[in-house]
Amino acid sequence: MTFTDELREEADSHWSAILDHPMVRRLGDGTLEEAPFRYWVRQDYIYLIEYGRVFALGAAKAPDLERMGTFASLLDSTVNTEMDLHRSYAAEFGIDEDELAATEPSPTTRAYTDFLVRTASHGTFGDLVAALLPCMWGFNETGTRLAARGMPEHKQYAAWIEMYAGEEFTELTSWCKDLMNEVAAEASDAERDRYRDLFGTSAQYEYLFWDAAWKEEGWPL
């Protein structure tokens, strides 16, 4: 049994909770009001900037050239391709580049990205992979399960589902799961326990990221 097989029961409980969240349910059936999704798009732009930093740290900490190259490619793709696509997608909701750039991180976005970057900075390469995995795995599961229920008529919501359920993102998720299994196979019991804790924390933040958008969370003062 691989390490991600061991994680699957816990992971499925998180993915099921996300699928049951009212924002995700309504995204899937096309009835979601656009205001919370516009909030999500703006916060995700801020998230992507810090996500890129995690890939940069992954390249720096990678134990071999192959993994270094993969993380470097992911950094390049995120900064120079995915963020351009995100800006184009945001424009379909009437969000221009200046508005994206001026977005203030919500408490949840700040906490989640700080957790990821701190783990990537101060932890081991294995810690970084464990913290990174729920983002890829969770979005792929969300997209795949929503797609299985049928695509919404809302064009932009359907595009979101197609992207995360698609072959390219599914392959990226499989790569990250395989990498987690490789790292865990060489780890001590104590390290594997730490990977589980980091994975669980990131998976909790994945749920909270949706919940914050649904509530259009802001700072209290």
Side-chain angles (χ1 to χ4, degrees):
M1 178 181 289
T2 67
F3 187 65
T4 55
D5 287 335
E6 295 174 19
L7 291 175
R8 182 169 295 279
E9 183 176 354
E10 177 185 355
D12 280 343
S13 69
H14 288 295
W15 313 153
S16 295
I18 289 171
L19 263 291
D20 195 45
H21 193 284
M23 179 161 174
V24 178
R25 285 203 317 269
R26 296 180 190 188
L27 169 66
D29 64 22
T31 62
L32 178 66
E33 294 289 335
E34 288 190 357
F37 195 75
R38 284 195 293 267
Y39 176 102
W40 184 93
V41 169
R42 292 193 301 270
Q43 292 297 319
D44 196 50
Y45 182 80
I46 300 301
Y47 177 91
L48 281 173
I49 295 171
E50 303 308 313
Y51 196 54
R53 298 187 202 282
V54 175
F55 288 142
L57 288 161
K61 293 196 170 190
D64 54 65
L65 282 173
E66 181 180 359
R67 292 170 181 172
M68 183 186 296
T70 301
F71 273 93
S73 294
L74 288 169
L75 170 62
D76 177 65
S77 177
T78 299
V79 173
N80 296 314
T81 301
E82 187 172 356
M83 294 195 73
D84 279 342
L85 292 172
H86 198 90
R87 284 186 280 267
S88 297
Y89 186 68
E92 296 183 27
F93 288 91
I95 306 168
D96 62 26
E97 293 186 26
D98 290 341
E99 186 177 354
L100 281 175
T103 300
E104 181 180 8
S106 71
T108 295
T109 301
R110 176 75 72 187
Y112 189 10
T113 57
D114 282 359
F115 165 75
L116 288 174
V117 174
R118 184 180 69 253
T119 300
S121 298
H122 299 294
T124 65
F125 181 72
D127 293 339
L128 182 154
V129 175
L132 182 65
L133 177 58
C135 178
M136 297 182 187
W137 194 354
F139 270 46
N140 186 230
E141 287 284 340
T142 299
T144 300
R145 295 185 192 191
L146 288 178
R149 296 177 181 178
M151 301 300 288
E153 293 184 5
H154 191 291
K155 179 181 176 181
Q156 287 79 19
Y157 296 168
W160 189 96
I161 294 168
E162 288 171 352
M163 178 171 64
Y164 289 110
E167 182 178 353
E168 184 176 352
F169 198 80
T170 298
E171 289 177 356
L172 180 62
T173 301
S174 295
W175 164 80
C176 197
K177 290 168 74 174
D178 289 344
L179 180 59
M180 182 78 265
N181 289 329
E182 292 167 9
V183 171
E186 301 171 355
S188 67
D189 288 343
E191 288 171 326
R192 288 163 69 94
D193 287 342
R194 191 171 69 247
Y195 298 161
R196 288 188 186 90
D197 287 342
L198 292 166
F199 178 90
T201 299
S202 276
Q204 293 276 7
Y205 274 126
E206 284 293 311
Y207 179 90
L208 288 172
F209 198 80
W210 285 111
D211 193 57
W214 175 247
K215 297 173 180 176
E216 297 184 58
E217 176 189 73
W219 294 95
L221 301 177

